[in-house]
Amino acid sequence: MAETGPAPRRFGTFAGVFTPTTLTILGVILFLRFGDIMGQAGVLRGMAIVLGAQTVTLLTSFSLSAIATNTPVKGGGAYFLISRTLGVEFGGGIGLFLYLAQATSVALYVLGFTESFLGAFPSLGWDSRLVASCVNLGVFLCVFAGAGWTIRLQYGILAVLVLAVLSFFAGALPLASLHTLAANLHPAYGKGSGFFPLFALFFPAVTGIMAGVNMSGDLADPGRSIPVGTFTAIAFTGSVYVGMGLLLSAVLPQGELLSRGFVVRELALVPGLVNAGVFAATLSSALGSMMGAPRVLQAFARDRVLPRLAPFARGSGKTQEPRLATLLTFLIAQGALLLGDLDAVAPVITLFFLVTYATLNLACFLEGVTRNPSFRPRFRWHHWSLSLLGTLECLGLMAFLSPLWSLLCLLALGGTMVLIGRAEILATWGDLTSGLAFQRARASLIRLEKEKYHPKNWRPSILALSGGAWNRNHLAEYACCLASGRGVVSLAQVLLGDVETLGTHREEAERLLRKHIRENGLCAFPVVVAEEDLGRGMKTLLQCHGLGGVRPNTVLLGWSEDPKRRETFFQTLRLARRMGKSILVLRYDQTRSREEGIVPEGPLSVWWTDPQNGSLMLLLAHLLRQNPLWRDHPLRILLTPPPQADRESLVTGMQGRLEKARIDGEIEVLPTEDPEETLSRTLANPGLLLIGFAPPEEEEEEAFLARMASLLALPGDLLLVCHAGHASLEA
């Protein structure tokens, strides 16, 4: 996904971050609902609501500042930060949630303005929905004209808002009483109310910390402006909320706080200033959200995460204003205006923002805890423990506020991530997904290095000497089936020639092998070495491949029919045995038709000749049957004792082994003096036959081939197994 260039950046800390953040925080809840919240919650729980909400935003601001000073922040605010940290799936899901939350926030602030306006002028008798729609249209037109015009307008709004707050303090302070404050300490919840419903109503009042981040694409220095402007705004607005909450509770009894409606205006020294402040606060918050939401959608669309949103990536004019996205935001806000009221919209916005904050904190936590070398934020006042605390606090609040809606919200986020993941978007930016996987792998490798090996923990780690896997794909597929999702498979290829001149060819061969693995859906890793001859290449692979406790414990080769390669073949067998590797040699019957890939018709047959090799053969047969394509193939254990042997005793002993091994299989006894001849005569359709063997010494190769001739003539696939002793049936 190509990233387009950012719009020209123009605004500093005060204009671009502090002003929109402050105006969004000091909004509709402060003037229209704060008195009711303090009246129902009481002083102690009311302050707990304020401080709890402020704690969430403060912890999130630490994470926000750390990521913002580590990543060159472009347009899209929180979406940009999350997507570049947690990856395209998380970023895409959160991008949509954040956009919808901020688009719906426009409706919240417009509804607040409408309620205050009609309360100030009750004689007008206008329809509330008509007024709200007109205000929404006016906000849209202001933003549509450009962010520069809107931000200049916010200077005047901030001045009016500050005067309104000062007017309230000047009028209420002389009336304050410690006796009244003490009488209001405890809650007086109304019907259907409580601590968490009041928290859900209040929380949108502090979600303005994203206002400055959403303007990141228009900031001159976002890495400095976002932390400084955000923390300054939190400190200022937090002081206002605490001061107003205590003052309201010190002036009026709880009953009057609940019944007197627009109590902030009634207590102000100049009531008209409070009216102007409410109008200014609600309009400024609506303007801030109407500016921020389209920029999130524009950045999301420019990343081409969902192709259908591509039209919203376009910008207009030199400043690349997201006008089409602004139009969609207006329509969403208008829909919310027609469907809800202020008290109904606020809790929904709370959940959306809590999901966003939790994810942002999670991103910073993972960057810090994985010790990513690229995570070098200039903002030093952060620690991964603060981010973890912020994540847990957000998720905990969601669970307490509304378990059902929180679950649905998280399911919707997960569904969006799955949808984006299935689209197989190729991101051109780095994220911490690979870094997190590397950190987990590193920790696991160190732990494996410290752990003492026990046969109970044996897993197949197979090095398949498959050459160019596209030429011998059956070997690669067998290796993956034998690992059965429980082990590790490496597909190896040896390039013959001078090592110094084959560097580029080796990289190309590994790329092609990796492509082959991906296209065939194989769970395997490619490994390519360059050596002057095949024997030295095999030695290099067997000695050097692997890391720590994830070195290959099993080598898989194909049976060689080429007399010219027979010497290298037997040398490789002996070398693998001396190095303590189990050995598997596959003779693949290419004359048989197969319904599904490598799977032949017929049962899985294990020729039991000795417990040493037999234990690994049974384990491998069991692992094969864990694959869906092999599941219906019956497992047979073939015993070939001399005719005079105690057949019943042999069967009983084998049944005991199978019982201890917790493996189901049929036991078939074939008394004979010539086992190889008997097997070749009686097994007309073996499917896959597993046979134990020992690699022959140099002088015994011809005798070994002669003994194997009759077995190699059998139809079906043949797997020779030599066990190095690491696995145990009874573990």
Side-chain angles (χ1 to χ4, degrees):
M1 290 177 290
E3 294 181 8
T4 58
R9 296 176 175 177
R10 301 160 291 170
F11 306 117
T13 301
F14 183 80
V17 181
F18 177 83
T19 299
T21 301
T22 300
L23 294 180
T24 306
I25 291 175
L26 298 181
V28 57
I29 303 298
L30 175 68
F31 290 103
L32 298 182
R33 292 294 183 271
F34 197 38
D36 183 67
I37 290 171
M38 292 303 300
Q40 291 195 62
V43 176
L44 297 179
R45 287 173 175 78
M47 287 297 100
I49 289 173
V50 173
L51 295 178
Q54 289 289 95
T55 301
V56 173
T57 56
L58 186 64
L59 291 173
T60 305
S61 296
F62 277 102
S63 300
L64 185 69
S65 300
I67 298 178
T69 57
N70 183 70
T71 303
V73 186
K74 301 180 181 179
Y79 158 70
F80 180 89
L81 296 177
I82 294 171
S83 64
R84 269 53 177 181
T85 306
L86 287 181
V88 64
E89 290 89 353
F90 251 110
I94 289 300
L96 290 179
F97 270 78
L98 182 59
Y99 170 71
L100 291 174
Q102 293 189 328
T104 310
S105 294
V106 176
L108 175 77
Y109 302 128
V110 170
L111 286 168
F113 174 87
T114 303
E115 183 178 318
S116 61
F117 179 80
L118 294 179
F121 305 102
S123 60
L124 293 176
W126 291 351
D127 180 74
S128 61
R129 290 190 177 183
L130 178 61
V131 174
S133 298
C134 292
V135 174
N136 189 37
L137 179 61
V139 170
F140 163 70
L141 292 176
C142 284
V143 174
F144 198 79
W149 159 253
T150 305
I151 286 183
R152 285 191 294 272
L153 182 65
Q154 286 188 343
Y155 292 141
I157 294 174
L158 179 62
V160 174
L161 183 60
V162 171
L163 289 174
V165 172
L166 292 176
S167 176
F168 167 77
F169 276 97
L173 197 57
L175 305 175
S177 165
L178 291 177
H179 176 75
T180 305
L181 184 68
N184 291 341
L185 287 179
H186 302 292
Y189 297 130
K191 185 179 180 180
S193 187
F195 181 86
F196 287 107
L198 291 176
F199 185 95
L201 178 62
F202 175 78
F203 190 75
V206 297
T207 56
I209 61 170
M210 292 298 180
V213 183
N214 290 337
M215 294 298 297
S216 56
D218 300 297
L219 297 175
D221 185 4
R224 178 183 180 277
S225 294
I226 289 174
V228 174
T230 302
F231 281 108
T232 306
I234 288 175
F236 174 69
T237 57
S239 301
V240 171
Y241 274 110
V242 171
M244 286 188 70
L246 293 174
L247 202 52
L248 283 168
S249 299
V251 172
L252 295 174
Q254 286 175 294
E256 293 190 40
L257 283 173
L258 297 174
S259 62
R260 290 180 59 171
F262 203 171
V263 65
V264 174
R265 181 182 60 190
E266 295 181 12
L267 295 175
L269 183 65
V270 183
L273 278 176
V274 175
N275 278 332
V278 175
F279 299 157
T282 51
L283 285 176
S284 66
S285 298
L287 286 167
S289 295
M290 185 71 83
M291 278 194 301
R295 282 163 170 74
V296 173
L297 182 59
Q298 184 184 49
F300 184 68
R302 283 179 171 176
D303 282 339
R304 302 179 186 272
V305 176
L306 295 176
R308 292 186 179 181
L309 296 180
F312 297 103
R314 292 198 298 268
S316 300
K318 294 181 179 179
T319 58
Q320 291 293 294
E321 293 291 334
R323 287 179 175 162
L324 187 59
T326 304
L327 176 60
L328 178 62
T329 304
F330 163 73
L331 295 175
I332 292 174
Q334 186 63 31
L337 289 175
L338 299 177
L339 294 176
D341 59 26
L342 193 150
D343 292 339
V345 172
V348 176
I349 295 173
T350 295
L351 286 180
F352 281 162
F353 274 110
L354 282 174
V355 171
T356 304
Y357 289 179
T359 312
L360 187 62
N361 282 307
L362 177 64
C364 190
F365 162 69
L366 292 176
E367 285 277 28
V369 79
T370 57
R371 300 179 181 179
N372 190 344
S374 68
F375 188 57
R376 302 183 299 276
R378 294 193 176 277
F379 179 75
R380 301 298 181 185
W381 300 98
H382 81 283
H383 190 266
W384 61 261
S385 59
L386 294 176
S387 301
L388 176 60
L389 183 60
T391 304
L392 296 176
E393 186 175 7
C394 290
L395 294 177
L397 286 171
M398 289 177 63
F400 280 112
L401 291 175
S402 177
L404 177 60
W405 284 105
S406 298
L407 178 61
L408 293 176
C409 195
L410 293 175
L411 288 175
L413 173 62
T416 305
M417 292 170 57
V418 170
L419 180 65
I420 295 172
R422 286 184 176 178
E424 297 182 351
I425 305 298
L426 180 61
T428 57
W429 63 83
D431 58 58
L432 63 73
T433 306
S434 58
L436 184 60
F438 179 90
Q439 191 71 7
R440 289 200 306 267
R442 174 184 175 275
S444 298
L445 285 170
I446 292 174
R447 181 178 177 182
L448 282 175
E449 200 71 13
K450 295 178 180 178
E451 294 270 337
K452 185 176 180 180
Y453 174 78
H454 189 278
K456 187 183 180 85
N457 299 321
W458 180 87
R459 290 169 181 264
S461 181
I462 301 174
L463 177 64
L465 305 176
S466 60
W470 45 89
N471 296 324
R472 306 172 74 187
N473 197 49
H474 57 273
L475 207 63
E477 291 185 4
Y478 254 110
C480 293
C481 286
L482 289 167
S484 190
R486 293 161 171 80
V488 178
V489 175
S490 300
L491 301 185
Q493 180 181 1
V494 179
L495 293 182
L496 300 180
D498 182 58
V499 178
E500 295 182 359
T501 60
L502 283 177
T504 304
H505 295 293
R506 194 202 66 80
E507 292 178 2
E508 178 64 15
E510 186 171 297
R511 186 188 68 79
L512 291 174
L513 188 53
R514 182 174 286 108
K515 179 182 178 183
H516 174 80
I517 290 171
R518 184 174 62 250
E519 291 177 347
N520 286 273
L522 302 173
C523 294
F525 300 94
V527 53
V528 180
V529 298
E531 275 294 351
E532 295 179 358
D533 63 71
L534 189 59
R536 293 179 64 178
M538 294 296 185
K539 290 180 182 178
T540 301
L541 281 170
L542 292 174
Q543 292 182 84
C544 301
H545 181 60
L547 181 64
V550 195
R551 294 182 180 276
N553 55 31
T554 305
V555 178
L556 174 63
L557 306 87
W559 180 265
S560 178
E561 300 288 350
D562 186 355
K564 297 179 181 178
R565 295 193 173 186
R566 193 160 289 168
E567 181 180 354
T568 302
F569 172 74
F570 285 117
Q571 286 178 352
T572 304
L573 295 183
R574 288 190 286 269
L575 176 63
R577 186 180 186 182
R578 286 196 298 271
M579 294 182 64
K581 313 288 186 186
S582 295
I583 305 170
L584 308 178
V585 180
L586 176 68
R587 196 293 310 271
Y588 186 74
D589 187 354
Q590 300 185 11
T591 64
R592 304 190 66 179
S593 60
R594 299 165 191 256
E595 294 182 1
E596 296 284 353
I598 61 167
V599 182
E601 295 181 1
L604 275 168
S605 301
V606 173
W607 182 20
W608 186 275
T609 54
D610 66 279
Q612 172 77 2
N613 291 328
S615 60
L616 181 58
M617 289 192 289
L618 277 179
L619 282 174
L620 293 176
H622 170 72
L623 289 174
L624 275 178
R625 295 187 70 208
Q626 303 309 302
N627 296 275
L629 298 178
W630 289 88
R631 193 166 294 155
D632 296 330
H633 290 240
L635 173 59
R636 296 188 306 182
I637 295 89
L638 307 177
L639 304 177
T640 55
Q644 65 273 18
D646 186 350
R647 176 172 178 171
E648 185 175 342
S649 177
L650 288 172
V651 171
T652 302
M654 181 55 64
Q655 286 175 339
R657 283 195 179 93
L658 293 176
E659 184 68 25
K660 288 183 179 180
R662 304 173 300 283
I663 295 176
D664 297 323
E666 303 172 3
I667 302 172
E668 187 171 341
V669 182
L670 303 173
T672 179
E673 295 288 356
D674 188 348
E676 287 88 351
E677 192 277 333
T678 299
L679 286 176
S680 64
R681 178 168 43 82
T682 58
L683 296 182
N685 185 26
L688 173 65
L689 176 62
L690 288 85
I691 302 176
F693 85 109
E697 299 300 332
E698 292 186 25
E699 295 81 10
E700 300 174 356
E701 294 168 356
E702 293 301 324
F704 173 79
L705 292 173
R707 288 198 310 272
M708 294 296 300
S710 58
L711 294 174
L712 291 170
L714 286 172
D717 297 341
L718 184 67
L719 186 66
L720 305 181
V721 178
C722 177
H723 187 202
H726 302 300
S728 172
L729 277 178
E730 299 179 10

